[in-house]
Amino acid sequence: METTDDKLLQKFFSDNCREIEDNGFSRRVMHHLPDRYRRISQLWSMFCFTLAIVLFFVLDGLQLVLNTLRETFTSAIENGAAELDPRSLIIAVVVLLYLGYRKICSLA
């Protein structure tokens, strides 16, 4: 019985279906709607980025990064890596900074 009713409803609606011309109305309405979620996302990202920078300097992040780099460099020299090519070290540092930047941006 249910399938018969469904078939009758589908037939009725398909026979009485009319297209309404909107003459571009839908496109104009969509064009004028504010992109609220994009703005909220941008504001949230800006807030988080600003907060991260403020916390970085308030918690003395620059000094911590420099100390870590100095300790890494010192331990590398102590362990016999003095023959390390400086270009390789620079490339490694640049790649690590880039990956860190990407990670920070993906959190926002």
Side-chain angles (χ1 to χ4, degrees):
M1 174 115 188
E2 219 173 279
T3 57
T4 308
D5 290 341
D6 290 340
K7 289 179 184 176
L8 286 173
L9 281 172
Q10 283 181 339
K11 183 172 179 2
F12 172 76
F13 284 120
S14 65
D15 291 342
N16 295 312
C17 180
R18 286 188 229 147
E19 286 292 323
I20 299 173
E21 291 293 324
D22 70 348
N23 297 325
F25 176 75
S26 299
R27 182 180 44 80
R28 289 192 308 271
V29 167
M30 293 303 289
H31 181 69
H32 289 295
L33 287 177
D35 195 2
R36 182 171 181 240
Y37 293 111
R38 189 170 142 253
R39 279 190 289 159
I40 289 173
S41 173
Q42 287 176 340
L43 287 174
W44 181 249
S45 296
M46 187 64 72
F47 171 75
C48 290
F49 187 71
T50 305
L51 181 65
I53 289 175
V54 168
L55 287 175
F56 181 77
F57 286 108
V58 167
L59 298 175
D60 205 20
L62 186 61
Q63 187 64 36
L64 291 172
V65 169
L66 291 176
N67 286 342
T68 303
L69 289 175
R70 186 183 67 234
E71 289 174 14
T72 303
F73 184 70
T74 303
S75 68
I77 289 177
E78 288 174 355
N79 291 329
E83 301 87 30
L84 189 64
D85 184 23
R87 288 184 294 178
S88 300
L89 188 60
I90 291 172
I91 290 171
V93 168
V94 168
V95 168
L96 288 175
L97 288 174
Y98 174 74
L99 292 175
Y101 172 77
R102 291 278 312 250
K103 184 66 176 175
I104 290 171
C105 289
S106 70
L107 295 175

